[in-house]
Amino acid sequence: MSTTVRPDLYPTRIIGESVPQPRVDPTVWGNSPGPLSSEQLNRYESGGYLVLDDLLSGQEVETYLAELQRLGEDPVLRASERVILEPESDQVRSVFEVEKVSELFADLLRSPRLTDIARQVLDSEVYIHQSRVNYKPGFGGAPFHWHSDFETWHSEDGMRRPRAFSVSISLTENHPFNGPLMVMPGTHKTFVPTVGETPEDYHVESLRVASPSVGSPSQQHLTHMAQKHGIEQITGPAGSAVMFDSNLLHGSNGNLSPFARSNIFIVYNSVENALEAPFAALKPRPQHLSNREFPSAEAE
């Protein structure tokens, strides 16, 4: 009995030389009306990211900050695999799958103000592929090395195509000095394979260390991309947000300032792009990192 071999449109975690390739998929998947204007969609399609001002009110920011603190201090939650600690301290770095541990965050992640944007951009029903809150505490919040999220989601989770994007909602002000998100605009249109096989249970290392051993483009490719596209910092007040394409190269510096840089982070994926077997790993990452149970991102 013959079996169908899945074509891999974005091979990565390779042995040998990495050769960047043009993206074969769109960034904006349709032309349906929605919350974003044509001008906003054009900016997102061109640069791979879009800043959303005043997504949350001041009162909402205070409410979500209190919930952020509650989750970080919950001893049962801290002992679970959902919580990642900073590489050089016992401070909380991230809490994953927040819609499962917080009704407040679940309501926000499934609210039409976010899911309507996701449906418009991805041109389909959507679901939450991953969620987390990032704390980035003062005096020690570690950096996140340059990477494309899709490279990881493709190789380790089995996401076939980059029909997904992330939303990072600021709960504290993003200053130039407290480790804000940095992006290379336009790099979402090029897929850069990384070199090296995926170690078993690699997520245990990659989510905590500042410079993971696998999954980031080489310094040569990063230099070329930075020279071609430039680097921009995403700064702004609490309550603002940035949405960015799953294949956009991004990272952030460590936080040496006294001021935390905390955010809510959500990934929306098309239901037509549901996860399959990993393309470059022995087994999928755990459920709290890559959701495989999705009737819909919107609450019933």
Side-chain angles (χ1 to χ4, degrees):
M1 180 176 180
S2 62
T3 58
T4 302
V5 178
R6 299 179 303 160
D8 186 353
L9 300 176
Y10 300 96
T12 187
R13 307 289 169 96
I14 63 175
I15 304 301
E17 181 182 2
S18 168
V19 179
Q21 67 176 69
R23 177 188 183 124
V24 298
D25 287 304
T27 305
V28 177
W29 287 74
N31 54 9
S32 302
L36 299 182
S37 67
S38 296
E39 191 272 336
Q40 287 176 309
L41 288 174
N42 288 338
R43 277 193 281 137
Y44 176 72
E45 191 281 332
S46 175
Y49 76 98
L50 180 69
V51 174
L52 305 171
D53 296 318
D54 303 319
L55 184 72
L56 301 181
S57 68
Q59 181 57 56
E60 286 177 311
V61 168
E62 293 302 317
T63 298
Y64 293 129
L65 270 176
E67 183 72 347
L68 183 89
Q69 182 175 356
R70 182 189 72 82
L71 294 180
E73 295 175 351
D74 185 327
V76 175
L77 186 59
R78 280 181 65 102
S80 73
E81 62 179 357
R82 284 192 175 98
V83 172
I84 306 297
L85 302 180
E86 289 289 341
E88 297 183 1
S89 74
D90 63 352
Q91 291 182 291
V92 175
R93 180 175 173 93
S94 301
V95 177
F96 282 84
E97 207 174 28
V98 291
E99 75 275 13
K100 296 288 184 68
V101 296
S102 168
E103 291 186 10
L104 271 174
F105 285 134
D107 289 343
L108 174 63
L109 272 55
R110 293 168 177 152
S111 66
R113 68 174 127 173
L114 292 174
T115 57
D116 283 355
I117 292 174
R119 292 188 186 95
Q120 181 185 13
V121 171
L122 302 179
D123 196 33
S124 73
E125 185 55 72
V126 298
Y127 73 99
I128 298 168
H129 167 69
Q130 186 191 96
S131 73
R132 65 181 185 267
V133 286
N134 295 319
Y135 288 75
K136 201 115 186 210
F139 298 125
F144 287 87
H145 198 53
W146 289 106
H147 65 286
S148 150
D149 287 327
F150 175 66
E151 193 280 338
T152 294
W153 302 338
H154 183 69
S155 59
E156 298 183 46
D157 297 341
M159 183 181 290
R160 176 173 290 277
R161 313 181 87 150
R163 195 174 179 178
F165 70 87
S166 302
V167 182
S168 176
I169 306 173
S170 302
L171 296 182
T172 55
E173 184 163 359
N174 290 295
H175 299 282
F177 48 73
N178 66 343
L181 180 72
M182 299 186 298
V183 301
M184 296 186 191
T187 55
H188 64 300
K189 295 187 177 182
T190 302
F191 182 74
V192 184
T194 67
V195 175
E197 295 181 349
T198 308
E200 187 173 0
D201 293 328
Y202 180 54
H203 63 277
V204 177
E205 170 194 337
S206 63
L207 292 174
R208 190 172 186 192
V209 301
S211 298
S213 58
V214 174
S216 180
S218 68
Q219 290 185 4
Q220 177 185 359
H221 286 318
L222 289 171
T223 299
H224 172 75
M225 288 293 188
Q227 290 173 337
K228 180 178 179 181
H229 297 280
I231 296 174
E232 295 183 10
Q233 282 186 325
I234 311 298
T235 58
S240 62
V242 58
M243 55 181 286
F244 59 96
D245 182 82
S246 59
N247 191 48
L248 186 71
L249 287 175
H250 64 284
S252 65
N253 288 319
N255 184 9
L256 297 179
S257 82
F259 309 109
R261 201 271 287 180
S262 303
N263 58 53
I264 309 167
F265 189 91
I266 319 106
V267 180
Y268 294 106
N269 187 29
S270 167
V271 297
E272 298 173 13
N273 194 39
L275 302 185
E276 307 173 18
F279 284 84
L282 293 176
K283 61 182 179 181
R285 295 190 301 172
Q287 166 68 22
H288 67 279
L289 301 179
S290 57
N291 181 21
R292 294 173 181 271
E293 304 168 357
F294 63 90
S296 170
E298 187 172 25
E300 297 292 337

